[in-house]
Coordinates of all heavy atoms in Angstrom, one line a residue:
M1 N -8.6 20.9 -0.5 CA -8.6 20.3 0.8 C -7.2 19.9 1.2 O -6.5 19.2 0.4 CB -9.6 19.1 0.8 CG -9.8 18.6 2.3 SD -11.1 17.3 2.3 CE -10.0 15.9 1.8
K2 N -6.8 20.3 2.4 CA -5.5 20.0 2.8 C -5.5 18.9 3.9 O -6.3 18.9 4.8 CB -4.8 21.3 3.4 CG -3.4 21.1 3.6 CD -2.8 22.5 4.1 CE -1.7 22.3 5.0 NZ -1.4 23.5 5.9
T3 N -4.6 18.0 3.8 CA -4.5 16.9 4.8 C -3.3 17.3 5.7 O -2.2 17.3 5.3 CB -4.2 15.6 4.2 OG1 -5.2 15.3 3.2 CG2 -4.3 14.5 5.2
T4 N -3.6 17.6 6.9 CA -2.6 17.9 7.9 C -2.1 16.7 8.7 O -0.9 16.6 9.0 CB -3.1 19.0 8.9 OG1 -4.3 18.5 9.5 CG2 -3.3 20.3 8.2
E5 N -3.0 15.8 8.9 CA -2.7 14.6 9.7 C -2.6 13.4 8.7 O -3.2 13.4 7.7 CB -3.7 14.3 10.7 CG -3.8 15.3 11.9 CD -2.5 15.2 12.7 OE1 -2.1 14.1 13.1 OE2 -2.0 16.3 13.1
M6 N -1.7 12.5 9.1 CA -1.6 11.3 8.4 C -3.0 10.5 8.6 O -3.5 10.5 9.7 CB -0.5 10.5 8.9 CG -0.2 9.2 8.1 SD 1.4 8.5 8.7 CE 1.0 8.2 10.4
N7 N -3.5 10.0 7.5 CA -4.7 9.2 7.6 C -4.4 7.8 8.3 O -3.5 7.2 7.9 CB -5.4 9.0 6.3 CG -6.1 10.2 5.9 OD1 -7.1 10.6 6.4 ND2 -5.6 10.9 4.9
V8 N -5.3 7.5 9.2 CA -5.2 6.2 9.8 C -6.5 5.4 9.6 O -7.5 5.9 9.8 CB -4.9 6.3 11.3 CG1 -5.0 5.0 12.0 CG2 -3.6 7.0 11.6
C9 N -6.3 4.2 9.2 CA -7.5 3.4 8.9 C -8.3 3.2 10.2 O -7.8 2.9 11.3 CB -7.1 2.0 8.4 SG -8.5 0.8 8.3
Q10 N -9.6 3.5 10.2 CA -10.5 3.5 11.3 C -11.0 2.1 11.6 O -11.9 1.9 12.4 CB -11.7 4.4 11.2 CG -11.2 5.9 11.2 CD -10.6 6.3 12.5 OE1 -11.1 6.1 13.5 NE2 -9.4 7.0 12.4
S11 N -10.4 1.1 11.0 CA -10.8 -0.3 11.3 C -9.6 -1.0 11.9 O -9.7 -1.7 12.9 CB -11.2 -1.1 10.1 OG -11.3 -2.4 10.3
C12 N -8.4 -0.8 11.3 CA -7.2 -1.6 11.8 C -6.1 -0.7 12.3 O -5.2 -1.2 12.9 CB -6.6 -2.4 10.6 SG -5.9 -1.5 9.3
G13 N -6.2 0.6 12.2 CA -5.3 1.6 12.8 C -4.0 1.7 12.0 O -3.1 2.4 12.5
M14 N -3.9 1.2 10.8 CA -2.7 1.3 10.0 C -2.7 2.6 9.3 O -3.7 3.1 8.8 CB -2.6 0.2 9.0 CG -2.5 -1.2 9.6 SD -0.9 -1.4 10.5 CE -1.3 -3.0 11.3
P15 N -1.5 3.2 9.2 CA -1.4 4.5 8.5 C -1.6 4.3 7.0 O -1.3 3.2 6.5 CB 0.1 4.9 8.7 CG 0.6 4.0 9.8 CD -0.2 2.8 9.8
I16 N -2.3 5.2 6.4 CA -2.6 5.1 4.9 C -1.9 6.3 4.2 O -2.2 7.5 4.6 CB -4.1 5.2 4.6 CG1 -4.8 4.0 5.4 CG2 -4.4 5.0 3.2 CD1 -6.4 4.1 5.3
R17 N -1.1 6.0 3.3 CA -0.3 7.1 2.7 C -0.7 7.3 1.2 O -0.4 8.4 0.7 CB 1.2 6.8 2.8 CG 1.7 6.8 4.2 CD 3.2 6.6 4.3 NE 3.7 6.7 5.6 CZ 3.7 5.6 6.5 NH1 3.3 4.5 6.0 NH2 4.1 5.7 7.7
N18 N -1.2 6.3 0.6 CA -1.5 6.4 -0.8 C -3.0 6.4 -1.1 O -3.7 5.6 -0.4 CB -0.8 5.3 -1.6 CG 0.7 5.4 -1.4 OD1 1.3 6.4 -1.6 ND2 1.2 4.2 -1.1
M19 N -3.5 7.1 -2.0 CA -5.0 7.1 -2.4 C -5.4 5.7 -2.7 O -6.5 5.3 -2.4 CB -5.3 8.0 -3.5 CG -5.2 9.5 -3.2 SD -6.4 10.0 -1.9 CE -7.9 10.0 -2.8
S20 N -4.5 4.9 -3.3 CA -4.9 3.6 -3.8 C -5.0 2.6 -2.6 O -5.5 1.5 -2.8 CB -3.9 3.1 -4.8 OG -2.6 3.1 -4.2
D21 N -4.6 3.0 -1.4 CA -4.7 2.2 -0.2 C -6.0 2.4 0.5 O -6.3 1.7 1.5 CB -3.5 2.4 0.7 CG -2.2 2.0 0.1 OD1 -2.2 1.0 -0.7 OD2 -1.1 2.5 0.4
F22 N -6.8 3.4 0.1 CA -8.0 3.7 0.8 C -9.1 2.7 0.4 O -9.1 2.1 -0.7 CB -8.5 5.1 0.5 CG -7.8 6.1 1.3 CD1 -7.1 7.1 0.6 CD2 -7.9 6.2 2.7 CE1 -6.4 8.1 1.3 CE2 -7.2 7.2 3.4 CZ -6.4 8.1 2.7
G23 N -10.1 2.5 1.2 CA -11.3 1.6 0.9 C -12.1 2.3 -0.2 O -11.9 3.5 -0.5
T24 N -13.1 1.6 -0.7 CA -13.9 2.1 -1.8 C -15.4 1.9 -1.5 O -15.8 1.0 -0.8 CB -13.6 1.4 -3.1 OG1 -13.7 0.0 -2.9 CG2 -12.3 1.8 -3.6
Y25 N -16.2 2.9 -2.0 CA -17.7 2.8 -1.9 C -18.1 2.0 -3.1 O -17.4 1.7 -4.0 CB -18.3 4.2 -2.0 CG -18.1 5.0 -0.7 CD1 -17.3 6.1 -0.7 CD2 -18.8 4.7 0.4 CE1 -17.1 6.8 0.5 CE2 -18.7 5.4 1.6 CZ -17.8 6.5 1.6 OH -17.7 7.2 2.8
P26 N -19.4 1.5 -3.1 CA -19.9 0.7 -4.2 C -19.8 1.4 -5.6 O -19.6 0.7 -6.6 CB -21.4 0.5 -3.9 CG -21.5 0.7 -2.4 CD -20.4 1.7 -2.1
D27 N -19.8 2.7 -5.6 CA -19.7 3.4 -6.9 C -18.2 3.6 -7.3 O -17.9 4.3 -8.3 CB -20.4 4.8 -6.9 CG -19.8 5.7 -5.9 OD1 -18.8 5.4 -5.2 OD2 -20.3 6.9 -5.8
G28 N -17.3 3.1 -6.5 CA -15.9 3.2 -6.8 C -15.2 4.4 -6.2 O -13.9 4.5 -6.4
S29 N -15.9 5.3 -5.6 CA -15.2 6.4 -5.0 C -14.5 6.0 -3.7 O -14.8 5.0 -3.1 CB -16.3 7.6 -4.7 OG -17.2 7.1 -3.8
V30 N -13.6 6.9 -3.3 CA -12.7 6.5 -2.2 C -13.4 6.8 -0.8 O -13.9 7.9 -0.6 CB -11.4 7.3 -2.3 CG1 -10.5 7.1 -1.1 CG2 -10.7 6.8 -3.5
N31 N -13.3 5.9 0.1 CA -13.7 6.1 1.5 C -12.4 6.3 2.3 O -11.6 5.3 2.5 CB -14.4 4.9 2.0 CG -14.9 5.0 3.4 OD1 -14.3 5.8 4.2 ND2 -15.9 4.3 3.8
T32 N -12.2 7.5 2.8 CA -10.9 7.8 3.4 C -10.9 7.4 4.9 O -9.9 7.6 5.6 CB -10.6 9.3 3.4 OG1 -11.7 10.0 3.9 CG2 -10.3 9.8 1.9
D33 N -12.0 6.8 5.4 CA -12.0 6.3 6.8 C -11.3 4.9 6.9 O -10.8 4.6 8.0 CB -13.4 6.1 7.3 CG -14.0 7.5 7.5 OD1 -13.3 8.5 7.7 OD2 -15.3 7.5 7.6
Y34 N -11.3 4.2 5.9 CA -10.8 2.8 6.0 C -9.8 2.4 4.9 O -9.9 3.0 3.8 CB -12.0 1.8 6.0 CG -13.0 2.1 7.0 CD1 -14.2 2.6 6.7 CD2 -12.7 1.8 8.4 CE1 -15.2 2.8 7.7 CE2 -13.6 2.1 9.4 CZ -14.9 2.6 9.0 OH -15.8 2.8 10.0
C35 N -9.0 1.4 5.2 CA -8.0 1.0 4.1 C -8.7 0.0 3.2 O -9.7 -0.7 3.5 CB -6.8 0.4 4.8 SG -7.0 -1.2 5.6
F36 N -8.0 -0.2 2.1 CA -8.5 -1.1 1.0 C -8.5 -2.6 1.5 O -9.4 -3.3 1.1 CB -7.5 -1.0 -0.1 CG -7.8 -1.9 -1.3 CD1 -8.9 -1.6 -2.1 CD2 -7.1 -3.0 -1.5 CE1 -9.2 -2.4 -3.2 CE2 -7.3 -3.9 -2.6 CZ -8.4 -3.6 -3.4
H37 N -7.7 -2.9 2.4 CA -7.6 -4.3 2.9 C -8.9 -4.7 3.6 O -9.2 -5.9 3.6 CB -6.4 -4.5 3.8 CG -5.1 -4.1 3.2 ND1 -4.5 -4.9 2.3 CD2 -4.3 -3.0 3.4 CE1 -3.4 -4.3 1.9 NE2 -3.3 -3.1 2.5
F38 N -9.5 -3.8 4.3 CA -10.7 -4.2 5.1 C -12.0 -3.5 4.7 O -13.0 -3.8 5.3 CB -10.4 -3.9 6.6 CG -9.2 -4.7 7.1 CD1 -8.0 -4.0 7.4 CD2 -9.3 -6.0 7.2 CE1 -6.9 -4.8 7.8 CE2 -8.2 -6.8 7.7 CZ -7.0 -6.1 8.0
Y39 N -12.0 -2.7 3.7 CA -13.2 -2.0 3.3 C -13.2 -1.9 1.7 O -12.4 -1.1 1.2 CB -13.3 -0.6 3.9 CG -14.7 -0.1 3.9 CD1 -15.7 -0.4 4.9 CD2 -15.1 0.8 2.8 CE1 -16.9 0.1 4.8 CE2 -16.4 1.3 2.8 CZ -17.3 1.0 3.8 OH -18.6 1.5 3.7
Q40 N -14.1 -2.6 1.1 CA -14.1 -2.6 -0.4 C -15.6 -2.6 -0.8 O -16.4 -3.3 -0.3 CB -13.4 -3.8 -1.0 CG -11.9 -3.8 -0.7 CD -11.3 -5.1 -1.2 OE1 -11.8 -5.8 -2.0 NE2 -10.1 -5.4 -0.6
D41 N -15.9 -1.8 -1.8 CA -17.3 -1.7 -2.4 C -18.3 -1.5 -1.4 O -19.4 -2.0 -1.5 CB -17.6 -3.0 -3.2 CG -16.6 -3.3 -4.3 OD1 -16.2 -2.3 -4.9 OD2 -16.3 -4.4 -4.6
G42 N -18.0 -0.7 -0.4 CA -19.0 -0.3 0.6 C -19.2 -1.2 1.8 O -20.1 -0.9 2.6
H43 N -18.4 -2.2 1.9 CA -18.6 -3.0 3.1 C -17.2 -3.6 3.6 O -16.3 -3.6 2.8 CB -19.6 -4.1 3.0 CG -19.5 -4.9 1.7 ND1 -20.4 -4.8 0.7 CD2 -18.5 -5.7 1.2 CE1 -20.0 -5.5 -0.3 NE2 -18.9 -6.1 -0.1
F44 N -17.2 -3.9 4.8 CA -16.0 -4.5 5.4 C -15.7 -5.9 4.8 O -16.7 -6.7 4.6 CB -16.1 -4.6 6.9 CG -16.1 -3.3 7.6 CD1 -17.3 -2.8 8.3 CD2 -15.0 -2.5 7.7 CE1 -17.3 -1.6 8.9 CE2 -15.0 -1.3 8.3 CZ -16.2 -0.8 8.9
T45 N -14.5 -6.2 4.6 CA -14.1 -7.5 4.1 C -14.1 -8.5 5.2 O -14.1 -9.7 5.0 CB -12.7 -7.5 3.5 OG1 -11.8 -7.0 4.4 CG2 -12.7 -6.5 2.3
D46 N -14.2 -8.0 6.5 CA -14.2 -9.0 7.6 C -15.3 -8.5 8.6 O -15.1 -8.2 9.7 CB -12.8 -9.0 8.3 CG -12.4 -7.5 8.7 OD1 -13.1 -6.6 8.4 OD2 -11.4 -7.4 9.4
P47 N -16.6 -8.6 8.1 CA -17.7 -8.0 8.8 C -18.0 -8.7 10.2 O -18.6 -8.1 11.0 CB -18.9 -8.2 7.9 CG -18.5 -9.3 7.0 CD -17.0 -9.2 6.8
D48 N -17.6 -9.9 10.3 CA -17.9 -10.6 11.6 C -16.9 -10.6 12.6 O -17.0 -11.2 13.7 CB -18.3 -12.1 11.2 CG -19.5 -12.2 10.3 OD1 -20.4 -11.4 10.4 OD2 -19.5 -13.1 9.4
V49 N -15.8 -9.9 12.3 CA -14.7 -9.9 13.3 C -15.0 -9.1 14.5 O -15.8 -8.1 14.4 CB -13.4 -9.3 12.6 CG1 -13.5 -7.8 12.4 CG2 -12.1 -9.7 13.4
T50 N -14.6 -9.5 15.7 CA -14.8 -8.8 16.9 C -13.6 -8.0 17.2 O -12.5 -8.2 16.6 CB -15.1 -9.7 18.1 OG1 -13.9 -10.5 18.3 CG2 -16.2 -10.7 17.8
L51 N -13.8 -7.0 18.1 CA -12.6 -6.2 18.5 C -11.5 -7.0 19.0 O -10.3 -6.8 18.7 CB -13.1 -5.1 19.5 CG -12.0 -4.2 20.0 CD1 -11.2 -3.5 18.9 CD2 -12.6 -3.2 21.0
E52 N -11.8 -8.0 19.8 CA -10.8 -8.8 20.4 C -10.0 -9.6 19.3 O -8.8 -9.7 19.4 CB -11.4 -9.8 21.4 CG -11.7 -9.2 22.8 CD -10.4 -8.8 23.5 OE1 -9.4 -9.5 23.4 OE2 -10.5 -7.8 24.2
E53 N -10.8 -10.1 18.3 CA -10.1 -10.8 17.3 C -9.2 -9.9 16.4 O -8.2 -10.2 16.0 CB -11.2 -11.5 16.3 CG -11.8 -12.7 17.0 CD -13.1 -13.1 16.2 OE1 -13.5 -12.4 15.3 OE2 -13.6 -14.2 16.6
K54 N -9.8 -8.7 16.3 CA -9.0 -7.7 15.5 C -7.7 -7.3 16.2 O -6.7 -7.2 15.5 CB -9.9 -6.4 15.3 CG -9.4 -5.5 14.2 CD -9.7 -6.1 12.9 CE -9.4 -5.1 11.8 NZ -9.5 -5.7 10.5
I55 N -7.8 -7.2 17.5 CA -6.6 -6.9 18.2 C -5.6 -8.0 18.1 O -4.4 -7.8 17.8 CB -6.9 -6.6 19.7 CG1 -7.6 -5.3 19.9 CG2 -5.7 -6.7 20.6 CD1 -8.2 -5.0 21.3
A56 N -6.0 -9.2 18.2 CA -5.1 -10.4 18.1 C -4.5 -10.5 16.7 O -3.3 -10.7 16.6 CB -5.9 -11.7 18.4
R57 N -5.3 -10.2 15.7 CA -4.7 -10.2 14.3 C -3.7 -9.1 14.1 O -2.7 -9.3 13.5 CB -5.9 -10.0 13.3 CG -6.8 -11.2 13.1 CD -7.8 -11.0 12.1 NE -8.9 -11.9 12.2 CZ -9.9 -12.0 11.4 NH1 -10.0 -11.2 10.4 NH2 -10.9 -12.8 11.6
N58 N -4.0 -7.9 14.7 CA -3.1 -6.8 14.5 C -1.7 -7.1 15.2 O -0.7 -6.7 14.7 CB -3.7 -5.5 15.1 CG -4.3 -4.7 14.0 OD1 -4.9 -5.2 13.1 ND2 -4.2 -3.4 14.1
I59 N -1.8 -7.7 16.4 CA -0.6 -8.1 17.1 C 0.2 -9.1 16.3 O 1.4 -8.9 16.1 CB -1.0 -8.7 18.5 CG1 -1.6 -7.6 19.4 CG2 0.3 -9.3 19.1 CD1 -2.2 -8.2 20.7
A60 N -0.5 -10.1 15.7 CA 0.2 -11.1 14.9 C 0.9 -10.4 13.7 O 2.0 -10.7 13.3 CB -0.7 -12.1 14.4
L61 N 0.1 -9.5 13.0 CA 0.6 -8.8 11.9 C 1.9 -7.9 12.2 O 2.9 -7.9 11.5 CB -0.5 -7.9 11.3 CG -0.1 -7.1 10.0 CD1 0.3 -8.0 8.9 CD2 -1.2 -6.1 9.7
A62 N 1.7 -7.2 13.3 CA 2.8 -6.3 13.7 C 4.1 -7.1 14.0 O 5.2 -6.7 13.7 CB 2.4 -5.5 15.0
Q63 N 3.9 -8.3 14.6 CA 5.0 -9.1 15.0 C 5.7 -9.6 13.7 O 6.9 -9.7 13.6 CB 4.6 -10.3 15.8 CG 4.4 -9.9 17.3 CD 4.1 -11.1 18.1 OE1 3.0 -11.6 18.2 NE2 5.1 -11.6 18.8
R64 N 4.9 -9.9 12.7 CA 5.5 -10.3 11.4 C 6.3 -9.2 10.8 O 7.2 -9.5 10.0 CB 4.4 -10.8 10.4 CG 3.9 -12.2 10.6 CD 3.4 -12.8 9.3 NE 2.3 -12.1 8.8 CZ 1.0 -12.2 9.1 NH1 0.7 -13.1 10.1 NH2 0.1 -11.5 8.6
L65 N 5.9 -8.0 11.1 CA 6.6 -6.8 10.5 C 7.8 -6.4 11.4 O 8.4 -5.4 11.2 CB 5.6 -5.6 10.4 CG 4.5 -5.8 9.4 CD1 3.5 -4.7 9.5 CD2 5.0 -6.0 8.0
G66 N 8.1 -7.2 12.4 CA 9.3 -7.0 13.2 C 9.1 -6.2 14.5 O 10.0 -5.9 15.2
V67 N 7.8 -6.0 14.9 CA 7.5 -5.3 16.2 C 7.5 -6.3 17.3 O 7.1 -7.5 17.1 CB 6.2 -4.6 16.1 CG1 5.9 -3.9 17.4 CG2 6.1 -3.6 15.0
S68 N 8.1 -6.0 18.4 CA 8.1 -6.9 19.5 C 6.7 -7.2 20.0 O 5.8 -6.4 19.9 CB 8.9 -6.4 20.7 OG 8.2 -5.4 21.4
R69 N 6.5 -8.4 20.6 CA 5.1 -8.8 21.0 C 4.6 -7.8 22.0 O 3.4 -7.4 22.0 CB 5.2 -10.2 21.6 CG 3.8 -10.6 22.1 CD 3.8 -12.1 22.5 NE 2.4 -12.5 22.9 CZ 1.4 -12.8 22.1 NH1 1.6 -12.7 20.8 NH2 0.2 -13.1 22.6
Q70 N 5.4 -7.4 23.0 CA 5.0 -6.5 24.0 C 4.5 -5.1 23.4 O 3.5 -4.6 23.8 CB 6.2 -6.2 25.0 CG 5.8 -5.9 26.4 CD 7.0 -5.8 27.3 OE1 8.1 -5.5 26.8 NE2 6.8 -5.9 28.6
K71 N 5.3 -4.6 22.5 CA 5.0 -3.3 21.9 C 3.7 -3.5 21.0 O 2.9 -2.6 21.0 CB 6.2 -2.8 21.1 CG 6.0 -1.4 20.5 CD 7.2 -0.9 19.7 CE 6.9 0.4 19.1 NZ 7.9 0.8 18.2
A72 N 3.7 -4.6 20.3 CA 2.5 -4.8 19.4 C 1.2 -4.9 20.2 O 0.2 -4.3 19.8 CB 2.7 -6.1 18.6
Q73 N 1.3 -5.5 21.4 CA 0.1 -5.7 22.2 C -0.3 -4.3 22.8 O -1.5 -3.9 22.8 CB 0.4 -6.6 23.4 CG 0.3 -8.1 23.0 CD 0.6 -9.0 24.2 OE1 1.4 -8.6 25.1 NE2 0.0 -10.1 24.2
R74 N 0.7 -3.5 23.2 CA 0.4 -2.2 23.7 C -0.3 -1.3 22.7 O -1.3 -0.6 22.9 CB 1.6 -1.6 24.3 CG 1.4 -0.4 25.2 CD 2.6 0.0 25.9 NE 3.7 0.4 25.0 CZ 4.9 0.0 25.0 NH1 5.3 -0.9 25.9 NH2 5.8 0.4 24.1
M75 N 0.3 -1.3 21.5 CA -0.2 -0.5 20.4 C -1.6 -0.9 20.0 O -2.5 0.0 19.9 CB 0.7 -0.6 19.2 CG 2.0 0.2 19.2 SD 3.2 -0.3 17.9 CE 2.2 -0.1 16.5
A76 N -1.9 -2.2 19.8 CA -3.2 -2.6 19.4 C -4.2 -2.3 20.5 O -5.3 -1.9 20.1 CB -3.1 -4.2 19.2
R77 N -3.9 -2.5 21.7 CA -4.9 -2.3 22.8 C -5.2 -0.8 23.0 O -6.2 -0.4 23.5 CB -4.5 -3.0 24.1 CG -4.6 -4.5 23.9 CD -4.6 -5.2 25.3 NE -4.8 -6.6 25.1 CZ -6.0 -7.1 25.0 NH1 -7.1 -6.3 25.0 NH2 -6.2 -8.4 24.8
N78 N -4.2 0.0 22.7 CA -4.3 1.5 22.9 C -5.1 2.1 21.7 O -5.9 2.9 21.9 CB -3.0 2.2 22.9 CG -2.4 2.1 24.3 OD1 -3.1 1.8 25.3 ND2 -1.1 2.2 24.4
I79 N -4.8 1.6 20.5 CA -5.3 2.2 19.3 C -6.7 1.7 18.9 O -7.6 2.5 18.6 CB -4.3 2.1 18.1 CG1 -3.0 2.8 18.4 CG2 -4.9 2.6 16.8 CD1 -1.9 2.5 17.5
L80 N -6.9 0.4 18.8 CA -8.1 -0.1 18.1 C -9.4 0.3 18.8 O -10.3 0.6 18.1 CB -8.0 -1.6 18.0 CG -7.4 -2.0 16.6 CD1 -5.9 -1.9 16.6 CD2 -7.8 -3.4 16.2
P81 N -9.5 0.2 20.2 CA -10.8 0.5 20.8 C -11.2 1.9 20.5 O -12.4 2.2 20.6 CB -10.5 0.3 22.3 CG -9.4 -0.7 22.3 CD -8.5 -0.3 21.2
G82 N -10.3 2.8 20.2 CA -10.7 4.2 19.9 C -11.1 4.5 18.5 O -11.5 5.6 18.1
L83 N -10.9 3.6 17.6 CA -11.2 3.8 16.2 C -12.7 3.8 15.9 O -13.5 3.1 16.6 CB -10.5 2.7 15.3 CG -9.0 2.6 15.4 CD1 -8.5 1.5 14.6 CD2 -8.4 3.9 14.9
T84 N -13.1 4.5 14.9 CA -14.5 4.7 14.6 C -15.3 3.4 14.5 O -16.4 3.3 15.1 CB -14.6 5.5 13.2 OG1 -13.9 6.7 13.3 CG2 -16.1 5.8 12.9
R85 N -14.7 2.5 13.8 CA -15.5 1.2 13.6 C -15.8 0.6 14.9 O -17.0 0.1 15.1 CB -14.6 0.3 12.8 CG -15.4 -1.1 12.5 CD -14.6 -2.0 11.7 NE -15.3 -3.2 11.5 CZ -14.8 -4.3 10.9 NH1 -13.6 -4.3 10.4 NH2 -15.5 -5.4 10.8
W86 N -14.9 0.6 15.9 CA -15.1 -0.1 17.1 C -15.9 0.7 18.1 O -16.6 0.2 19.0 CB -13.8 -0.6 17.7 CG -13.1 -1.4 16.6 CD1 -11.9 -1.0 15.9 CD2 -13.5 -2.6 16.0 NE1 -11.6 -1.9 15.0 CE2 -12.5 -2.9 15.0 CE3 -14.5 -3.5 16.2 CZ2 -12.6 -4.0 14.2 CZ3 -14.6 -4.6 15.4 CH2 -13.7 -4.9 14.4
R87 N -15.7 2.0 18.1 CA -16.5 2.9 19.0 C -18.0 2.7 18.6 O -18.8 2.7 19.5 CB -16.1 4.3 18.8 CG -14.8 4.7 19.5 CD -14.7 6.1 19.9 NE -15.1 7.0 18.8 CZ -14.2 7.6 17.9 NH1 -12.9 7.4 18.1 NH2 -14.6 8.4 17.0
K88 N -18.3 2.7 17.3 CA -19.7 2.5 16.9 C -20.3 1.2 17.4 O -21.4 1.1 17.7 CB -19.8 2.6 15.4 CG -19.8 4.0 14.8 CD -19.9 4.0 13.3 CE -19.7 5.3 12.7 NZ -19.5 5.3 11.2
A89 N -19.4 0.2 17.4 CA -19.9 -1.1 17.7 C -20.2 -1.2 19.3 O -20.9 -2.0 19.7 CB -18.8 -2.2 17.4
G90 N -19.6 -0.2 20.0 CA -19.9 -0.2 21.4 C -19.3 -1.3 22.2 O -19.8 -1.6 23.3
R91 N -18.3 -1.9 21.7 CA -17.8 -3.1 22.4 C -16.6 -2.6 23.3 O -15.9 -1.7 23.0 CB -17.2 -4.1 21.4 CG -18.3 -4.7 20.5 CD -17.7 -6.0 19.9 NE -18.8 -6.6 19.1 CZ -18.9 -6.5 17.8 NH1 -18.0 -5.7 17.1 NH2 -19.8 -7.1 17.1
K92 N -16.5 -3.3 24.4 CA -15.4 -3.0 25.3 C -14.3 -4.1 25.2 O -14.7 -5.3 24.9 CB -15.9 -3.0 26.7 CG -16.6 -1.7 27.0 CD -17.1 -1.7 28.5 CE -17.7 -0.4 28.8 NZ -18.2 -0.4 30.2
V93 N -13.1 -3.8 25.5 CA -12.1 -4.8 25.5 C -12.1 -5.4 26.9 O -11.9 -4.8 27.9 CB -10.7 -4.1 25.3 CG1 -9.6 -5.1 25.2 CG2 -10.7 -3.3 24.0
S94 N -12.3 -6.7 26.9 CA -12.2 -7.4 28.1 C -10.7 -7.9 28.3 O -10.0 -8.1 27.4 CB -13.1 -8.6 28.1 OG -12.8 -9.4 27.0
S95 N -10.3 -8.0 29.5 CA -8.9 -8.4 29.8 C -8.9 -9.8 30.4 O -9.9 -10.4 30.7 CB -8.3 -7.4 30.7 OG -9.0 -7.2 31.8
Ligands
ZN101 ZN1 -7.4 -1.0 7.7

């Protein structure tokens, strides 16, 4: 199997480059949809988070990594609502 596209976590939108950064199923196998930070042993580590909260957290995280607030907000609002986890939830971003 060939990976042509970079994998992006379908919960937080972060790029995943290493197998060890992927989430895991209960049997220990790798779930390539999500990253290890938010998906472990078959469930989300932050199951109660809303899309709005997730966007706010991502903006804060990106800013800590040196991204400007404006750019971080644009990225989070563009990327997160289209990810599998949030599309399934059927939630809309309110402004
Ligand atoms: Zn993630």
Side-chain angles (χ1 to χ4, degrees):
M1 192 175 80
K2 190 176 151 203
T3 308
T4 50
E5 291 292 315
M6 186 170 60
N7 282 290
V8 173
C9 173
Q10 293 298 312
S11 172
C12 67
M14 295 294 170
I16 304 172
R17 295 188 179 82
N18 302 308
M19 287 302 284
S20 58
D21 292 333
F22 284 117
T24 51
Y25 288 109
D27 65 0
S29 61
V30 170
N31 181 337
T32 55
D33 287 339
Y34 303 109
C35 73
F36 178 76
H37 302 286
F38 298 108
Y39 198 86
Q40 293 172 21
D41 298 328
H43 45 249
F44 291 111
T45 58
D46 54 355
D48 298 324
V49 72
T50 66
L51 177 55
E52 281 295 324
E53 287 168 352
K54 196 74 175 172
I55 287 173
R57 286 183 199 184
N58 264 36
I59 292 168
L61 178 65
Q63 283 186 279
R64 277 209 301 278
L65 296 173
V67 179
S68 74
R69 180 170 179 80
Q70 210 176 22
K71 188 179 175 189
Q73 283 179 328
R74 196 170 59 231
M75 282 168 54
R77 291 197 172 277
N78 281 341
I79 294 171
L80 268 81
L83 298 176
T84 304
R85 181 178 178 185
W86 308 110
R87 283 206 313 265
K88 279 181 185 165
R91 294 196 178 99
K92 284 183 176 175
V93 183
S94 55
S95 53

